[in-house]
């Protein structure tokens, strides 16, 4: 019985410690930790539109600028496309879940009850060298809401927006920062093989 328990415990620990293959490449790739990148293309699809929230081009610009700034700060962004070790092609889908809480007591206080409740965010990044993809990776995050200390502050702002008849559109800046940080971390953590 003790042996069986030990076997299951080891299997459980091995399953929790293993990671699925995240970076997909057609052949073994060796990317130095000092490699520089250039954001070649950035396609952003915005789902869930409302006049209270940023238009598509501003969502794209906010995500792109934040990612480039983070790569610059890390010393991983090239000074020009020609000097970059690798080019990046990104496809992002940014889905807003906007709630209209018409009805009940809130309607007596607020005229337009449209609030950003959560966001789905997915992306695929292709890393290219000499016009050929060397690897790609992707991730999908669903029903994301602000978390952590700063995220809790954003949630309080959202509650305040409900009772003051203001939009919580400013919360999008929080989302852009979190998601661009996530992508840049994935780029910086590309394994050397």
């Amino acid at each position: 019985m003790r042996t069986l328990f030990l076997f299951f415990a080891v299997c459980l620990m091995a399953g929790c410690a293993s990671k699925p293959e995240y970076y997909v490449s057609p052949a073994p790739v060796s990317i130095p930790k000092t490699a520089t990148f250039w954001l070649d293309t950035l396609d952003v699809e915005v789902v869930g539109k409302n006049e209270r929230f940023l238009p598509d081009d501003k969502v794209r610009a906010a995500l792109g600028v934040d990612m480039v700034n983070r790569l610059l700060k890390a010393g991983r962004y090239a000074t020009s496309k020609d000097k970059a070790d690798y080019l990046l092609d990104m496809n992002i889908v940014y889905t807003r879940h906007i709630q209209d809480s018409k009805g009940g007591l809130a309607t007596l206080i607020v005229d337009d009850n449209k609030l950003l409740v959560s966001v789905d965010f997915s992306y695929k990044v292709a890393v290219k060298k000499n016009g050929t993809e060397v690897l790609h990776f992707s991730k999908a995050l669903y029903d994301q809401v602000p978390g952590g200390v700063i995220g809790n502050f954003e949630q309080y702002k959202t509650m305040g927006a409900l009772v003051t008849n203001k939009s919580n559109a400013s919360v999008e800046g929080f989302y852009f920062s979190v998601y661009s940080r996530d992508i840049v971390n994935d780029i910086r953590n590309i394994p050397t093989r």
Side-chain angles (χ1 to χ4, degrees):
M1 183 69 174
R2 192 175 281 166
T3 306
L4 186 60
F5 176 75
L6 181 62
F7 173 75
F8 283 122
V10 169
C11 289
L12 179 63
M13 288 188 307
C16 292
S18 65
K19 294 181 182 176
E21 185 63 33
Y22 190 64
Y23 301 94
V24 180
S25 60
V29 177
S30 180
I31 296 179
K33 290 287 186 190
T34 57
T36 59
F37 300 93
W38 184 265
L39 184 55
D40 196 30
T41 60
L42 175 61
D43 293 325
V44 179
E45 178 185 351
V46 179
V47 180
K49 302 178 192 310
N50 183 277
E51 65 279 356
R52 287 191 164 210
F53 301 98
L54 293 175
D56 297 8
D57 58 333
K58 291 195 177 180
V59 171
R60 181 183 177 278
L63 285 166
V65 166
D66 201 62
M67 278 186 280
V68 168
N69 285 338
R70 288 177 186 278
L71 284 169
L72 279 168
K73 188 175 179 180
R76 302 295 298 276
Y77 201 73
T79 55
S80 70
K81 182 176 178 178
D82 296 334
K83 293 181 180 178
D85 297 319
Y86 296 90
L87 301 180
L88 302 172
D89 288 339
M90 294 188 193
N91 291 301
I92 295 172
V93 179
Y94 177 81
T95 305
R96 295 180 183 118
H97 294 283
I98 299 173
Q99 180 178 358
D100 187 351
S101 58
K102 288 284 187 189
L105 181 61
T107 304
L108 300 175
I109 304 169
V110 184
D111 293 331
D112 185 351
N113 301 28
K114 290 181 176 65
L115 295 171
L116 182 60
V117 178
S118 66
V119 170
D120 293 346
F121 188 80
S122 60
Y123 57 87
K124 178 182 177 188
V125 178
V127 180
K128 300 184 304 183
K129 188 170 185 74
N130 299 324
T132 304
E133 181 183 306
V134 294
L135 66 84
H136 68 268
F137 57 91
S138 59
K139 189 182 286 184
L141 305 166
Y142 299 105
D143 293 323
Q144 300 294 295
V145 296
V149 174
I150 297 172
N152 288 336
F153 178 69
E154 293 295 338
Q155 290 285 28
Y156 294 137
K157 284 171 50 179
T158 294
M159 287 186 271
L162 178 64
V163 297
T164 59
N165 196 23
K166 293 182 181 174
S167 168
N168 69 337
S170 65
V171 76
E172 288 197 291
F174 174 83
Y175 284 116
F176 300 151
S177 175
V178 169
Y179 295 141
S180 63
R181 182 185 67 210
D182 194 48
I183 294 172
V184 169
N185 285 342
D186 285 342
I187 292 167
R188 291 176 65 188
N189 291 328
I190 290 173
T192 55
R193 302 184 194 191

